C-alpha cells in the first residue's frame, strides 16, 4: 500500500526504488556505489545536513555516509589558555600523539574513539580545503 499523492512517500519511493525487491532498505545511489566498489573503485558518499536513504547501500560493506552541515566542513580548533595553542596547526600534532599507537592495556573503545577522531580530523581538513576553493 502506498499514499499515491503524498510528497513524502513519493520522495522515499524515488530514493529507494527497487522494482524487484532484491535489496530492500537500500537506496538507488547506494546500490550504484556498491557496483562501483565491486568493480574496484573507491567510493565515499557525502550528504548535506542528514543521511538520506538514497545513499544507503549494502550494509555488509560497512560504508559510512559522511554528513556535512550546510554551513561547510567543521574545523577543529580549541584554545589551550596555558600554552596559547590556538590554531588547528598548533594542536594537531598533540592530538595525533595522544591518539597514536595503542597498547594491550587500551580498551577497544579507546582505540575506536582515537581512530575516528584522527580520521574525522583529516577528512574535515580535506573537505574544508576543497570547499574553500569553490
Amino acid at each position: 500500500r502506498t499514499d499515491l499523492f503524498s510528497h513524502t512517500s513519493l520522495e522515499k519511493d524515488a530514493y529507494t526504488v527497487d522494482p524487484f525487491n532484491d535489496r530492500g532498505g537500500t537506496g538507488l545511489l547506494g546500490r550504484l556505489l556498491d557496483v562501483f566498489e565491486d568493480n574496484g573503485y573507491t567510493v565515499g558518499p557525502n550528504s548535506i545536513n542528514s543521511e538520506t536513504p538514497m545513499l544507503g547501500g549494502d550494509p555488509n560493506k560497512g560504508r559510512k555516509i559522511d554528513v556535512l552541515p550546510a554551513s561547510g566542513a567543521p574545523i577543529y580548533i580549541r584554545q589551550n589558555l596555558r600554552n596559547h595553542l590556538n590554531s588547528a596547526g598548533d594542536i594537531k600534532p598533540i592530538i595525533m600523539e595522544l591518539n597514536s599507537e595503542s597498547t594491550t592495556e587500551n580498551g577497544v573503545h579507546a582505540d575506536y574513539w582515537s581512530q575516528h577522531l584522527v580520521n574525522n580530523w583529516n577528512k574535515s581538513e580535506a573537505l574544508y580545503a576543497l570547499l574553500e576553493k569553490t
Side-chain angles (χ1 to χ4, degrees):
R1 171 175 143 78
T2 185
D3 297 321
L4 273 181
F5 301 105
S6 163
H7 177 74
T8 304
S9 64
L10 289 173
E11 189 176 64
K12 182 178 180 288
D13 288 345
Y15 288 169
T16 59
V17 66
D18 185 7
F20 302 109
N21 290 325
D22 289 335
R23 302 202 7 225
T26 60
L28 181 65
L29 293 178
R31 291 191 303 274
L32 184 63
L33 292 174
D34 290 344
V35 171
F36 279 118
E37 196 170 341
D38 290 344
N39 285 293
Y41 291 92
T42 302
V43 297
N46 295 297
S47 183
I48 305 295
N49 281 343
S50 66
E51 283 193 21
T52 174
M54 183 184 294
L55 292 172
D58 183 353
N60 295 322
K61 294 193 181 296
R63 183 177 54 240
K64 292 187 174 240
I65 300 170
D66 291 326
V67 179
L68 294 170
S71 59
I75 287 295
Y76 293 98
I77 297 177
R78 298 292 179 258
Q79 187 173 20
N80 180 327
L81 297 174
R82 188 178 70 191
N83 294 326
H84 304 291
L85 300 174
N86 297 320
S87 72
D90 291 337
I91 200 169
K92 186 172 182 179
I94 296 167
I95 296 293
M96 297 299 277
E97 182 181 339
L98 288 172
N99 291 284
S100 61
E101 302 233 0
S102 60
T103 66
T104 54
E105 282 118 33
N106 287 47
V108 69
H109 297 293
D111 289 341
Y112 182 83
W113 186 89
S114 293
Q115 188 60 54
H116 281 280
L117 174 68
V118 171
N119 289 348
N120 285 330
W121 185 301
N122 292 333
K123 196 176 291 185
S124 293
E125 279 186 341
L127 289 171
Y128 184 82
L130 185 67
L131 291 172
E132 281 292 299
K133 294 178 184 178
T134 59

